[in-house]
Amino acid sequence: MPSPSSATGLILLSHGSKDPVWRRNAEHLLAQVQQAQPAAAVACAYLDWCEPPLGPAVAQLLQSHPQLTHITIWPLLFGVGKHASEDIPALVEELAPRYPQLQLRIAPAMGEDARVIQLLADMAGGYLQGKLQG
């Protein structure tokens, strides 16, 4: 696995929706990452309904950061369904030959990370105790 550097990029890959408001959370996450790491090569991409899809997002990221040798694709999905287990690997397999200089890696789906589950459990506890409100 590459160490964090200017040669490593990240694509936040989300499902997408016909509703334009739906993009807000992915784009807010992108803004938070960019604020914390202004020089980072990071972008959003979407599987359906929203622009850009994964292929153009990779191309745009490489155009703005030509030094990249690694891009991690992080599925912002709660669990492993067809998108995470089949669709995303197929997209990456299709893209890989176009970028022989680039190592494309798929991170585990967001909801597969124990830290995310723990955060959600803590939040659920807060709702149950009346400390959090919707």
Side-chain angles (χ1 to χ4, degrees), residues 56-124:
V58 169
Q60 291 167 5
L61 206 56
L62 278 173
Q63 185 174 21
S64 60
H65 300 274
Q67 78 283 4
L68 292 178
T69 57
H70 298 81
I71 292 179
T72 297
I73 298 152
W74 186 25
L76 300 181
L77 303 171
F78 190 69
V80 177
K82 185 175 182 286
H83 283 315
S85 66
E86 295 177 25
D87 299 340
I88 296 169
L91 288 170
V92 170
E93 187 175 316
E94 180 183 312
L95 284 172
R98 295 184 209 169
Y99 304 103
Q101 80 284 13
L102 191 60
Q103 186 175 43
L104 295 171
R105 176 182 171 270
I106 304 168
M110 171 194 65
E112 296 295 308
D113 189 311
R115 296 168 294 180
V116 172
I117 299 302
Q118 185 60 57
L119 173 63
L120 295 173
D122 292 346
M123 291 175 69

Side-chain angles (χ1 to χ4, degrees), residues 12 23-34 44 46:
L12 307 170
R23 299 171 62 112
R24 184 174 44 210
N25 288 341
E27 291 174 358
H28 184 73
L29 175 59
L30 174 65
Q32 293 280 326
V33 173
Q34 289 172 325
C44 283
Y46 302 91

